[in-house]
Amino acid sequence: MIKWITKLFSSTQKEENTDNMKPEVHEHQKNNIKSVSKKYLIVGLGNIGAEYVNTRHNIGFKVLDFLAKKESLSFETVKLGALAEYKFKGRSFFLLKPNTYMNLSGKAVKYWMDKENIPLENILVITDDLNLSFGTIRIKPKGSDGGHNGLKNINLVLNTQQYTRFRFGISDQFKKGQQIDYVLGDWDEEEKAKLPERLEVASEIIKSFGTAGLENTMTTFNGK
C-alpha cells in the first residue's frame, strides 16, 4: 500500500514537472498566432457590362481575367460580384470582380472580407491611375483615393485608407474636358500591343503579395 502511494506521488510529481517545463504562451502571442492568415482578397475594380470590357477604367477586371485564364480558373457569380479562388503555395487568393459598379465597390469588398474572415493587411485593390504613364506600376500600403471613385467608396465603407492598392497607369493623354471619355474609352493599338506583357507582370505581383509580402513586392515591382 505504501509502495503504491509512493509510486502515485512520484508519477504525479513527474507530470507536474513536465507541465512546468512547457513554454508559457502569453496572451499577445496567442493573438499573433490567431492573426496569421493565408487568405488574401484580391479586388479588381471595374464596371460590369459588355461596353466596359476593354476600357481603361476596367484594368482591375482585366488583370484578374488574365490571371484566371492563365491558371485555368473560372469565375462564379456570387453575392455582389464574380469570384474565383486561386490556390498557390499554401495560400488562397480570392479574386473578386465587384458587380456593384465602380462607385459602390466598397460594399463588395466589405462583404467578402467579412465572409472569408480576411484581415485588412491581406487585401489588395487593383485600380487604374491617370497620374501614371501607361503600364507603370505603383504599389502602396495606404493612401488617399486620388479622385478615384472606386477607392473613395472603399475608404468610406471600410472607414480606413490602410489597405494595399496596386495602381496601374493609364496615362492622361486626353484633351481638357474629355477625361470621362478617355477613362471609359478603349485602349489604343499601341497600348493593346503592350498590355499582355504588363498583365503578366501584374499577375506576378498578386502572387508575390501573398508569398513574398508587401515590402518585398514593392521593392521588386514598383516603377517596373
Side-chain angles (χ1 to χ4, degrees):
M1 183 69 172
I2 294 173
K3 286 183 179 181
W4 181 82
I5 293 173
T6 303
K7 187 176 180 181
L8 177 62
F9 177 77
S10 175
S11 175
T12 303
Q13 192 172 41
K14 283 181 181 180
E15 287 180 5
E16 288 177 352
N17 290 337
T18 302
D19 287 341
N20 289 335
M21 290 172 65
K22 292 180 181 178
E24 182 181 357
V25 179
H26 296 286
E27 194 61 36
H28 75 277
Q29 290 176 308
K30 291 179 182 177
N31 291 336
N32 285 339
I33 292 170
K34 289 178 182 178
S35 68
V36 174
S37 173
K38 292 186 177 181
K39 287 183 177 182
Y40 296 83
L41 182 62
I42 313 299
V43 185
L45 297 187
N47 289 309
I48 58 172
E51 67 271 33
Y52 297 112
V53 171
N54 292 312
T55 63
R56 296 180 178 90
H57 212 30
N58 265 41
I59 189 60
F61 280 15
K62 204 165 191 68
V63 168
L64 296 191
D65 285 338
F66 181 89
L67 177 59
K69 184 177 181 180
K70 181 181 177 181
E71 301 296 337
S72 301
L73 306 174
S74 297
F75 280 95
E76 178 185 355
T77 300
V78 294
K79 184 172 181 178
L80 300 176
L83 192 73
E85 185 177 356
Y86 172 47
K87 292 186 178 295
F88 179 69
K89 290 189 176 181
R91 278 75 167 176
S92 291
F93 297 83
F94 292 88
L95 313 181
L96 175 65
K97 298 190 294 182
N99 65 6
T100 55
Y101 287 102
M102 190 71 78
N103 294 2
L104 295 174
S105 300
K107 188 175 181 181
V109 174
K110 182 71 165 63
Y111 176 82
W112 285 99
M113 178 183 169
D114 291 345
K115 182 174 176 57
E116 293 298 333
N117 195 27
I118 298 173
L120 193 63
E121 61 268 24
N122 285 11
I123 294 176
L124 177 68
V125 178
I126 307 168
T127 180
D128 58 303
D129 195 315
L130 285 165
N131 298 312
L132 299 174
S133 58
F134 169 78
T136 299
I137 287 162
R138 184 73 49 78
I139 304 155
K140 296 179 69 176
K142 60 182 179 179
S144 67
D145 57 65
H148 193 285
N149 289 331
L151 295 179
K152 189 178 296 183
N153 188 251
I154 293 172
N155 291 352
L156 178 66
V157 174
L158 298 186
N159 193 31
T160 183
Q161 298 179 0
Q162 306 286 325
Y163 59 88
T164 306
R165 64 281 313 277
F166 163 12
R167 297 177 182 270
F168 187 105
I170 62 172
S171 79
D172 59 355
Q173 301 304 305
F174 55 87
K175 295 179 181 178
K176 187 176 180 179
Q178 295 184 353
Q179 178 175 324
I180 294 176
D181 290 339
Y182 177 79
V183 170
L184 296 180
D186 290 354
W187 305 96
D188 64 30
E189 293 306 314
E190 185 178 353
E191 291 169 337
K192 287 178 183 177
K194 294 178 178 178
L195 263 177
E197 184 272 336
R198 293 286 82 193
L199 293 173
E200 183 69 46
V201 172
S203 66
E204 292 303 313
I205 287 171
I206 292 171
K207 291 186 280 187
S208 176
F209 176 66
T211 57
L214 174 58
E215 292 297 330
N216 289 330
T217 302
M218 289 193 297
T219 300
T220 303
F221 294 99
N222 270 346
K224 295 291 180 69

